Amino acid sequence: MALTGRQKPPCEHAFSPHDAVLRSAVPHVARRRFLTVTAAAAMLAFSTNRPARGATAVRELDAARITDNPFTLGVASGDPLPDSVLLWTRLAPQPFAEDGGLGQERVAVAWEVAADEWFVIVEQEGTATAHPEYAHSVHVDVKGLRSDSEYYYRFRVGSWISPVGRTRTSPAPGSDTSRLRLAAVACQAYQDGYYTAHRHLAQEDVDVVFFLGDYLYEYAVDSAGGARRYTDRKLPDVFNRETTTLADYRLRYSLYKSDPDLQAAHARHPFVVTWDDHETENNYAGPHDEKGSAPEEFLVRRAAAYRAYWENQPLRAEQLPNGPDARLYRRLTWGSLAQFDILDTRQYRSDQAYDDRPHAPGPESDDPARTLTGAAQERWLLDGWRDSDALWHVMPQQVCFSQRKFDLTAPARVSMDAWDGYRASRDRVMAGAKAADIDNWMVLTGDVHVGYAFDLKDDFDDPQSKTLGTELTCTSVASGGNGSKKPDNWDTYMKANPHMKYYDGRRGYVRVELGRENAQADFRTVSAINTPEGTISTSASFVTEVGSPGLKSA
């Protein structure tokens, strides 16, 4: 964590609500060898393990001894504020080694922020510390910047200089900003293909990128990189197993972040990230995993996954986990034009109904006590809408918000993992949007590996009911392979869901421009990801007008 005269060290958290459960799990975990690592590593997975200071701190490595490039995982920035942006890198001269090739010594890292990409006009500079306790990651919260401005940044260790990143700050609060260009991406299973979408995203003229979950997948990656079918390299066996330990998750991020196209997208744009399930384990729900493990066992794994996530993302100290708990939901603004309420729909949710199988809504799924967001996050969201003067209210989150029937017959099955499986929770959110009189509501969604465009209906079963907003799902970067323009269920879905205006099964992302009169969404799809040469095109464009919700073809 960067420590300069303008910055504070990571805040010390109060005890986690899961601390007692985790403490009781220690002997059980050690006895069962659930994490299959040393006892010290198992303890690390859910302990605070903050870097020590003073005489007890680990010694500092002489940077002159670093003979290999330490910036193999690139650079990134995130969560732009009017006067601040978060800069990230992680030192790993040997990225596929468990310690990154730096052992257990801390490393001093110089950083610079400039107004130009040649660093002629350096506006701020300082020194951060890459701590081994944080996998030698660096998070620099640079403050005192000009609002609504573009900046360039880089890091230096000894004689090594990182790639240059471009970032920006957001407009001043309440300022009369005329437009914002954003992109939304999600779901990048490394083993499913190349990150062609990121290569093209790096060339887009957007202000910010929202990553909506599944940045990482826990599944094994073979020596050929799965569908990438490498012939010029052989990945280590350490990736050919499911991630369960802190070391596993850290190494898997090293693999993903070694991809040059992902590095290019991060270096070009600030990212706002949130997680879904695969950063930890498929379809987990709060303290419950897919396999039905004891919660005290799964929370140890969740703690490891959350810790590695923070270490490898451009996130501030406020998001640093305390054991298996992390406050990832947060709010950003873009002048008076837009408010972004970034949700976490995994950490606090009730377990999926009907054993998480597609099922028609019923008493189990419609229990009003069930929640997707948790009570505190739901209250935070609704209060934030009530107090907002923004023109657009954008809700970046993970799973399909709109009703999505799978069948033409009644009663139709729906997903128990999406908001359809938590209809009381969705009803409360929609009631809150109406109570706050939000006219320009846009939901950004990941998870499903396809592109959808929905009208948000007051009553999804009545096509004539009032339209409250729009939902855009951004398909996937790689998950699901090449995909197809019209999946086999295309006709069924389009007929069963008249509020669904678009459905495409190919890879890519969605690009959105918010303006004072309307918003335009462009679905960008790539030709293929089984080879790295795929091209990109716009498969569809829609406009929704200020004060008149609903999608119209552009």
Side-chain angles (χ1 to χ4, degrees):
M1 178 60 57
L3 300 177
T4 73
R6 294 179 299 276
Q7 297 156 338
K8 297 179 180 180
C11 54
E12 294 299 329
H13 296 267
F15 284 113
S16 156
H18 295 118
D19 279 352
V21 175
L22 292 171
R23 282 195 295 271
S24 69
V26 174
H28 179 68
V29 170
R31 185 170 60 251
R32 291 274 304 275
R33 293 194 62 77
F34 172 71
L35 295 180
T36 65
V37 292
T38 65
M43 290 292 292
L44 171 64
F46 55 83
S47 66
T48 55
N49 194 45
R50 304 290 190 261
R53 298 185 178 91
T56 60
V58 298
R59 68 179 184 178
E60 183 173 322
L61 175 66
D62 180 1
R65 292 170 49 200
I66 300 176
T67 57
D68 296 317
N69 176 21
F71 298 109
T72 57
L73 305 181
V75 299
S77 68
D79 281 18
L81 300 177
D83 65 345
S84 171
V85 70
L86 194 287
L87 308 182
W88 173 93
T89 193
R90 180 178 154 212
L91 308 183
Q94 298 174 29
F96 297 164
E98 192 166 307
D99 63 0
L102 292 174
Q104 294 304 306
E105 295 176 293
R106 56 192 168 95
V107 182
V109 183
W111 56 268
E112 296 176 296
V113 173
D116 63 288
E117 58 187 311
W118 303 277
F119 289 81
V120 174
I121 307 172
V122 175
E123 300 213 352
Q124 291 205 38
E125 57 187 349
T127 302
T129 300
H131 293 283
E133 293 89 346
Y134 295 142
H136 292 102
S137 63
V138 177
H139 300 70
V140 182
D141 192 356
V142 184
K143 301 180 184 297
L145 301 174
R146 296 185 305 277
S147 64
D148 201 14
S149 298
E150 184 177 86
Y151 289 97
Y152 296 84
Y153 63 95
R154 65 186 179 187
F155 299 89
R156 185 192 301 270
V157 173
S159 61
W160 296 97
I161 300 176
S162 76
V164 173
R166 185 189 75 154
T167 191
R168 62 164 301 126
T169 53
S170 61
S175 59
D176 192 21
T177 307
S178 61
R179 69 171 184 168
L180 162 66
R181 293 159 298 190
L182 65 88
V185 294
C187 304
Q188 53 184 26
Y190 185 96
Q191 67 275 13
D192 282 3
Y194 288 93
Y195 290 166
T196 309
H198 279 310
R199 176 163 55 85
H200 292 288
L201 177 58
Q203 301 169 26
E204 294 275 12
D205 183 18
V206 297
D207 299 303
V208 65
V209 174
F210 287 85
F211 201 104
L212 304 176
D214 294 345
Y215 191 99
L216 185 82
Y217 277 69
E218 76 276 27
Y219 303 138
V221 181
D222 66 23
S223 61
R228 297 186 178 213
R229 297 185 176 90
Y230 290 142
T231 58
D232 61 342
R233 74 199 76 174
K234 184 177 180 181
L235 298 179
D237 289 341
V238 70
F239 300 122
N240 201 14
R241 62 176 183 245
E242 184 170 338
T243 56
T244 58
T245 72
L246 182 56
D248 286 342
Y249 286 108
R250 285 170 167 171
L251 282 166
R252 198 60 55 89
Y253 280 107
S254 295
L255 174 63
Y256 277 55
K257 283 183 167 291
S258 68
D259 184 274
D261 294 328
L262 177 57
Q263 288 190 19
H266 270 301
R268 188 63 179 167
H269 310 299
F271 272 53
V272 176
V273 299
T274 186
W275 54 40
D276 193 17
D277 52 340
H278 287 289
E279 290 91 349
T280 302
E281 189 257 5
N282 180 56
N283 279 16
Y284 81 91
H288 306 287
D289 72 2
E290 186 179 43
K291 304 174 184 66
S293 304
E296 60 267 22
E297 290 188 356
F298 176 63
L299 286 174
V300 175
R301 179 177 180 179
R302 197 178 91 174
Y306 283 12
R307 176 64 168 263
Y309 183 85
W310 182 86
E311 290 170 347
N312 286 279
Q313 299 292 1
L315 291 167
R316 288 185 168 84
E318 289 81 2
Q319 279 73 55
L320 177 63
N322 182 32
D325 305 293
R327 169 71 181 265
L328 197 62
Y329 66 87
R330 59 205 190 279
R331 181 169 292 125
L332 300 173
T333 61
W334 208 265
S336 62
L337 181 66
Q339 174 173 297
F340 297 95
D341 299 289
I342 301 106
L343 301 190
D344 172 359
T345 63
R346 282 293 161 191
Q347 185 175 181
Y348 313 105
R349 65 160 67 194
S350 307
D351 203 0
Q352 291 94 342
Y354 300 111
D355 296 321
D356 198 15
R357 302 186 312 272
H359 199 283
E364 185 179 340
S365 61
D366 284 348
D367 182 345
R370 288 171 50 75
T371 178
L372 196 64
T373 63
Q377 184 178 193
E378 180 182 295
R379 185 166 55 251
W380 166 88
L381 175 65
L382 303 189
D383 288 349
W385 283 342
R386 185 194 61 210
D387 298 336
S388 173
D389 294 322
L391 180 64
W392 290 95
H393 292 86
V394 184
M395 193 173 87
Q397 54 97 54
Q398 293 75 33
V399 294
C400 268
F401 186 83
S402 299
Q403 179 171 282
R404 184 173 49 125
K405 293 181 177 179
F406 295 157
D407 313 299
L408 291 171
T409 54
R413 298 168 303 145
V414 295
S415 170
M416 290 295 105
D417 188 59
W419 289 82
D420 277 336
Y422 301 78
R423 296 201 302 180
S425 192
R426 181 172 63 196
D427 288 347
R428 291 191 295 269
V429 170
M430 296 184 76
K434 290 187 288 185
D437 197 24
I438 293 176
D439 290 327
N440 309 300
W441 182 20
M442 179 178 290
V443 179
L444 300 178
T445 300
D447 183 57
V448 286
H449 309 169
V450 298
Y452 291 135
F454 294 102
D455 283 345
L456 298 180
K457 305 298 289 186
D458 193 22
D459 180 354
F460 286 109
D461 291 319
D462 179 6
Q464 303 306 313
S465 68
K466 184 178 179 180
T467 299
L468 303 179
T470 59
E471 179 178 8
L472 308 170
T473 76
C474 63
T475 191
S476 66
V477 170
S479 305
N482 287 333
S484 62
K485 183 176 181 179
K486 285 190 174 183
D488 292 342
N489 56 14
W490 190 90
D491 284 327
T492 297
Y493 278 28
M494 294 297 286
K495 291 175 182 176
N497 303 284
H499 54 286
M500 181 185 289
K501 306 302 180 183
Y502 169 82
Y503 177 15
D504 191 299
R506 292 172 290 180
R507 309 286 72 83
Y509 51 90
V510 64
R511 182 182 64 197
V512 180
E513 181 167 328
L514 301 177
R516 289 283 168 184
E517 296 182 356
N518 59 46
Q520 177 164 325
D522 301 317
F523 286 89
R524 304 280 279 163
T525 54
V526 298
S527 58
I529 63 165
N530 60 335
T531 65
E533 292 83 22
T535 59
I536 195 160
S537 61
T538 298
S539 59
S541 296
F542 296 91
V543 168
T544 180
E545 298 174 352
V546 167
S548 180
L551 293 163
K552 305 176 181 65
S553 294

